[in-house]
Amino acid sequence: MKQILYSIILFLIIVPSWAQQREVDSIIKEFKNPTGKQVLVAAHRGDWRNAPENSLAAIRLAIEMGVDIVEIDVQRTKDGHLVLMHDQTIDRTTDGKGHVMDMTLDSLRKLHLRNGLGRVTYHQIPTLEEALQVAKGKVMLNLDKCYEFINDAYPILERTGTIDHVIFKGYYLSADQVKKENGVLLDKLFYMAMVKLDDPNARKVIDDFQSQLKPVAFELSFTRDTSSLFSYFTTMKKRGSRIWINSLWASLNGGHDDDRSETDLKGSYEWLIEKGANVIQTDRPKELLSFLRARKLHR
């Protein structure tokens, strides 16, 4: 009887963990398949409409919705810890004031995060490691503002077993610079190149990255919706890169943004998908998921 009871307990412990890992494995597999039909959803700073941005609760709520990727922002403290914070200062998002880089982790732990209305909550500033533990086995993370901290972040990824959960990116850098600065680590990590399609050299930047580094995705922004490079997206996918477009605000997508989706789906999400986006980062993950699932474009 004791042996049976032990086996049942062990089963209840192992199965949920295995099932969770299978969940992130399916997301990673799909992420690495840029020519597939699925459109992946990235929640910008987590579900910040229902919890403070970059909080553990915002990550958990986004996971519960069923998003594929949660975008979070990373800053480094005075004593070398990586924490989740979008701004270089804590003034906007907490009940404190000052620069993250001038404060220790202990001092930041005494503060509380503000919600989207600016009200102080009970939530605290999390570390990157804590965020990784919440995401582990469940969802991928896009680490924004973390390019300069890659060497600090990598040991944390190793320790938490989340190397394949994370996407790094650098702000509009050349392939040569990224390769020179992170050549060894890039063989072990997912890297996403950021390119402005309005840049007259955008095609060359894309080709350089795909020939030298083969990024898993391109995060593309454009103020005008008439770029000739939209027709190049199919080629980019065939070469191994997903097309990531942000629907966050109009200047990133030529006016085809989240807010437009409230009254004009054809001019927002439908337009982005028709052009070739197969990762969309959004401030409205619930609405985007509903839209995609109705069209059988999301699991």
Side-chain angles (χ1 to χ4, degrees), residues 127-299:
T127 63
L128 174 60
E129 183 160 353
E130 289 169 342
L132 290 166
Q133 292 289 8
V134 169
K136 185 175 181 179
K138 303 170 187 173
V139 74
M140 295 185 75
L141 294 177
N142 173 217
L143 302 190
D144 198 3
K145 303 182 183 300
C146 195
Y147 179 82
E148 62 180 296
F149 309 135
I150 288 181
N151 287 317
D152 298 310
Y154 188 75
I156 303 174
L157 305 185
E158 282 191 311
R159 185 162 63 248
T160 56
T162 55
I163 292 174
D164 61 352
H165 287 45
V166 169
I167 308 158
F168 286 94
K169 63 185 179 186
Y171 275 73
Y172 309 112
L173 306 174
S174 69
D176 288 337
Q177 181 178 348
V178 174
K179 188 174 182 178
K180 179 179 179 181
E181 294 174 346
N182 300 289
V184 176
L185 279 182
L186 290 178
D187 293 335
K188 306 174 184 179
L189 301 170
F190 289 133
Y191 184 81
M192 177 165 64
M194 299 178 69
V195 180
K196 295 180 179 180
L197 295 187
D198 297 341
D199 185 339
N201 295 316
R203 170 74 175 264
K204 182 180 185 306
V205 173
I206 291 168
D207 288 344
D208 286 348
F209 265 106
Q210 290 203 294
S211 64
Q212 295 184 45
L213 297 177
K214 295 180 171 44
V216 71
F218 282 90
E219 182 176 319
L220 304 170
S221 61
F222 45 95
T223 58
R224 302 184 300 273
D225 66 0
T226 56
S227 175
S228 62
L229 288 177
F230 294 145
S231 62
Y232 200 45
F233 288 177
T234 299
T235 298
M236 293 166 65
K237 292 176 184 177
K238 289 179 179 178
R239 290 177 178 173
S241 302
R242 276 193 173 263
I243 303 299
W244 175 306
I245 295 180
N246 299 321
S247 61
L248 309 175
W249 46 83
S251 62
L252 297 175
N253 46 59
H256 303 275
D257 61 346
D258 281 328
D259 287 345
R260 186 168 178 172
S261 70
E262 292 186 351
T263 56
D264 180 18
L265 282 171
K266 187 173 181 60
S268 57
Y269 299 144
E270 282 189 20
W271 189 92
L272 295 176
I273 293 168
E274 286 173 0
K275 292 301 178 185
N278 56 9
V279 183
I280 298 177
Q281 180 177 202
T282 178
D283 280 324
R284 300 179 184 274
K286 182 178 180 180
E287 291 78 3
L288 178 56
L289 284 167
S290 178
F291 168 83
L292 294 173
R293 287 168 177 165
R295 290 155 180 78
K296 301 188 184 306
L297 295 174
H298 196 274
R299 55 194 166 79

